[in-house]
Amino acid sequence: GPDTFSHFEVLIDEHRRLEKEGNSRPSRLKQLVPTVGTFHTRLPLRQAFGVYNDKHFLTKRKHIQISFNEIRHILNLAQVIAMRYPDGTG
């Protein structure tokens, strides 16, 4: 749910900060996913999940898990939100 996407948002923000600082210590995200690359923009994943959930009612499901395709849609939506509102006001 939204808490999961908030957690990933925190991990990505930490990863971006450490890369920007040039810190040699690997981020928690890098430790979990060693092949993770660079994130050029902040991803408002919790907000994107909320928008997607309002339309597709993911949290109302009882027996169907979120699909990879739906996760991809949420990530894409987060990127669109970040591009549309680069100052985070969206």
Side-chain angles (χ1 to χ4, degrees), residues 9-10 12-13 16 39-45 78-79 82-83:
E9 195 172 318
V10 168
I12 291 169
D13 287 346
R16 291 184 69 228
F39 292 89
H40 298 286
T41 59
R42 185 172 188 287
L43 293 177
L45 294 172
Q79 184 68 55
M83 290 169 55

Side-chain angles (χ1 to χ4, degrees), residues 30-70:
K30 187 79 166 177
Q31 291 173 7
L32 292 169
V33 185
T35 58
V36 70
T38 300
F39 292 89
H40 298 286
T41 59
R42 185 172 188 287
L43 293 177
L45 294 172
R46 186 181 183 107
Q47 181 183 0
F49 177 81
V51 170
Y52 195 84
N53 186 52
D54 288 347
K55 183 171 183 175
H56 298 284
F57 307 103
L58 300 176
T59 56
K60 300 281 186 199
R61 298 180 188 169
K62 294 186 188 275
H63 303 292
I64 301 173
Q65 296 292 330
I66 189 170
S67 71
F68 175 79
N69 200 38
E70 289 169 326

Side-chain angles (χ1 to χ4, degrees), residues 1-13 28-29 32 45-46:
D3 292 339
T4 301
F5 283 95
S6 288
H7 181 68
F8 280 109
E9 195 172 318
V10 168
L11 291 175
I12 291 169
D13 287 346
R28 291 180 292 167
L29 182 61
L32 292 169
L45 294 172
R46 186 181 183 107

